[in-house]
Amino acid sequence: MAMSHVLPQNWIVTDGRASVGGVDLAALAERFGTPVFVIDVAHVRQRLTAFSDAVGSLGPPAYAAKAFLCIAMAELVSEADWWIDVVSVGEAEAAERGGIASDRIMLHGNLKTAQELELVLSGRVGRLVIDSLDELARLDRLASERGVDVDVLIRLNEDVDLATHPKVLTSGQEAKFGLVGDQAAEAAALLAGSERLRWRGVHLHVGSQAADPELFAIVLERLVDFVERHRAAFSGDEVILDIGGGMAAPYLRDDPVLHPADLGARLHMAATSLRIEERIGPFRLIIEPGRAVIANAGVTLYEVGVRKPLPSGGELVAVDGGMTDNPRPALYGSRYEVLAVTRMDDPHDHPVRLFGRMCETDVLAESIGIPEDLSVGDIVAFAATGAYTYSMSSRYNLLRRPPVIFVEDGVARQVVRRESIDDLFSGDSGLTGAEVWQYDPTGSNRAEGY
Ligand code: LLP
């Protein structure tokens, strides 16, 4: 497979210098500093359109916010008429601020806090995906107390074979998500008898990096089988069949690629061959891609700060970011293509180990090739860092989170600025400014707002 699958669609090299969306990357790094997340906006729009077109009348798709979300991203999702799936009050807030209507927001999560349940009870979020019988009972009680109706889906947990990293496998025997066989059937029965919870659909997300459309056809079949067995318990005409996300995105040039059109064609075929309409009546099929929308639209730029020999032989390069802006190599052993943005015409064949700058052995890339004469001060780009980097970033070592820059048609928009030193201390009051709580054995100690 070609490198172009890994890179943003509007990555262009001119005289050895790389640009994205018409903006020279080294110049962008100079203007906004490093590390910096750069997003090719036209690429994102194209991916959103490609998935919409692929599912067509079965759709619309729902974007998995956890992959990457800021208000600007929510605006793109809203413009594309997608739904969105969120897992926290913060993600719901970003979706709202981006203009996504409540009936297009779905709440996921294996443990939803009281504040998160409040999102559906108050109508800020249109649907909740039930993940356990405990949650079902709690929500049912709260909805009755409040006298409000809540639309819910049941998340199933089924064994569907997907070879992936165990930490991102979200279905099967070891998974913490969803309801297995008997429990799912019990949930259906409980919903049939509930006064306030309206059963609208089913959901199954099997895990990450599925490149074969066949897998999603299997998931769809499992959902239809389940619904058929419990059709009488449904409220409303239309059943939501939500087959989750996990559509693969290529990180390395040889990684497999899942084309939205192929996925769409397979799903349309399955909808016909499974005779869904005949078996369960009107339905809406939801796919929830996150990574496949945003991963390849993004690159992270770093400045090279150190180049020196390794005691064990070989050579190391250190850049000015690391596991704070991209924990994936440390967590999952993830690998990336690394490119020297002002030396694109030079062979990237000098082997080095690439480290970040955190206070530990934070290898960002185990063994990569760089141009022989890459120097301190040069800018390198990590490709395919649009997903699960910014959203998983931390402030370890009290580093400030990098900015997010949207580039399009030669214009760079800083949609999230770099955190300031004041941001770091906005909730840190010191001893004298601290909120003081005196335990009162007779009074209520319940906290508000968590
Ligand atoms: N829907 C549900 C219910 C999910 O749990 C997920 C991801 C998605 C959709 C989106 O999956 P995607 O299309 O982005 O693969 N931190 C890990 C990924 C964890 C994903 C968990 N769930 C990583 O960096 O690879």
Side-chain angles (χ1 to χ4, degrees):
M1 210 51 75
M3 184 68 139
S4 58
H5 286 280
V6 176
L7 295 170
Q9 287 167 7
N10 300 291
W11 170 288
I12 289 174
V13 174
T14 318
D15 298 331
R17 295 178 70 97
S19 65
V20 174
V23 178
D24 182 85
L25 291 177
L28 183 150
E30 204 175 325
R31 172 66 181 79
F32 294 101
T34 48
V36 56
F37 297 113
V38 184
I39 302 287
D40 177 354
V41 180
H43 180 128
V44 180
R45 290 189 214 280
Q46 193 280 336
R47 295 296 285 176
L48 291 167
T49 306
F51 278 111
S52 292
D53 291 350
V55 288
S57 57
L58 300 172
Y63 174 67
K66 68 199 74 160
F68 168 77
L69 192 64
C70 58
I71 297 169
M73 182 65 199
E75 287 171 325
L76 296 182
V77 171
S78 172
E79 275 171 23
D81 278 333
W82 280 40
W83 290 19
I84 191 163
D85 91 52
V86 301
V87 296
S88 67
V89 175
E91 287 186 356
E93 180 79 27
E96 277 174 351
R97 291 190 190 198
I100 302 176
S102 61
D103 65 349
R104 290 177 167 249
I105 309 180
M106 266 189 301
L107 182 65
H108 282 282
N110 75 307
L111 190 158
K112 301 178 189 76
T113 64
Q115 249 201 335
E116 284 152 12
L117 296 179
E118 185 58 30
L119 288 170
V120 280
L121 293 165
S122 65
R124 279 178 70 188
V125 162
R127 288 173 193 81
L128 177 142
V129 183
I130 289 181
D131 212 280
S132 66
L133 292 175
D134 289 331
E135 180 175 276
L136 194 160
R138 191 172 178 201
L139 187 63
D140 197 24
R141 183 173 45 77
L142 289 168
S144 307
E145 279 168 19
R146 296 278 285 274
V148 292
D149 293 333
V150 176
D151 286 345
V152 298
L153 281 74
I154 296 177
R155 179 167 182 164
L156 305 182
N157 178 352
E158 300 236 350
D159 262 326
V160 180
D161 198 18
L162 172 67
T164 192
H165 193 286
K167 278 197 188 147
V168 293
L169 187 64
T170 52
S171 203
Q173 301 299 324
E174 302 300 323
K176 66 174 182 177
F177 296 98
L179 291 151
V180 287
D182 290 353
Q183 290 181 2
E186 191 179 338
L190 288 168
L191 289 178
S194 169
E195 306 231 309
R196 289 298 182 182
L197 304 187
R198 298 183 299 210
W199 189 18
R200 299 298 195 192
V202 281
H203 166 72
L204 175 54
H205 170 84
V206 284
S208 300
Q209 290 293 74
D212 185 357
E214 197 52 37
L215 183 107
F216 296 99
I218 295 170
V219 171
L220 182 57
E221 183 171 7
R222 301 282 179 96
L223 293 183
V224 174
D225 288 350
F226 183 81
V227 172
E228 191 178 32
R229 289 199 294 278
H230 304 281
R231 184 66 182 91
F234 269 88
S235 314
D237 309 329
E238 190 182 74
V239 178
I240 296 175
L241 302 172
D242 179 346
I243 60 170
M247 293 78 195
Y251 283 88
L252 301 175
R253 65 191 85 186
D254 293 326
D255 283 351
V257 174
L258 174 71
H259 296 288
D262 294 342
L263 174 67
R266 185 66 191 88
L267 292 174
H268 279 281
M269 213 169 92
T272 311
S273 64
L274 292 170
R275 299 178 297 106
I276 302 183
E277 186 103 31
E278 203 179 304
R279 289 166 62 195
I280 66 168
F283 69 97
R284 177 191 294 260
L285 188 146
I286 302 270
I287 57 170
E288 297 182 339
R291 190 188 320 260
V293 172
I294 192 69
N296 301 106
V299 300
T300 308
L301 303 180
Y302 302 104
E303 187 178 304
V304 173
V306 176
R307 216 183 141 168
K308 66 180 180 187
L310 276 164
S312 59
E315 210 186 337
L316 79 75
V317 164
V319 296
D320 59 354
M323 64 191 293
T324 49
D325 58 77
N326 185 357
R328 301 190 73 259
L331 274 174
Y332 319 119
S334 308
R335 295 172 59 213
Y336 292 88
E337 301 283 358
V338 182
L339 298 161
V341 301
T342 52
R343 295 164 189 271
M344 289 299 297
D345 293 341
D346 302 354
H348 283 50
D349 58 2
H350 182 76
V352 293
R353 255 183 127 192
L354 197 143
F355 290 86
R357 53 155 301 194
M358 276 77 247
C359 294
E360 57 187 277
T361 304
D362 56 340
V363 180
L364 269 182
E366 197 51 66
S367 164
I368 52 152
I370 58 161
E372 173 91 58
D373 61 348
L374 187 81
S375 320
V376 168
D378 279 344
I379 302 297
V380 292
F382 268 54
T385 56
Y388 302 107
T389 53
Y390 172 72
S391 64
M392 293 176 77
S393 61
S394 78
R395 289 172 167 180
Y396 179 42
N397 287 173
L398 277 185
L399 294 186
R400 296 171 291 146
R401 275 189 266 257
V404 179
I405 313 293
F406 273 27
V407 290
E408 190 173 26
D409 298 333
V411 177
R413 283 191 180 77
Q414 179 171 244
V415 295
V416 180
R417 67 161 167 76
R418 188 180 304 283
E419 284 184 324
S420 66
I421 291 291
D422 281 343
D423 289 333
L424 291 185
F425 296 98
S426 62
D428 184 338
S429 50
L431 279 173
T432 48
E435 179 191 328
V436 177
W437 172 66
Q438 176 68 56
Y439 167 58
D440 173 2
T442 59
S444 164
N445 295 305
R446 178 158 287 281
E448 298 292 333
Y450 292 99

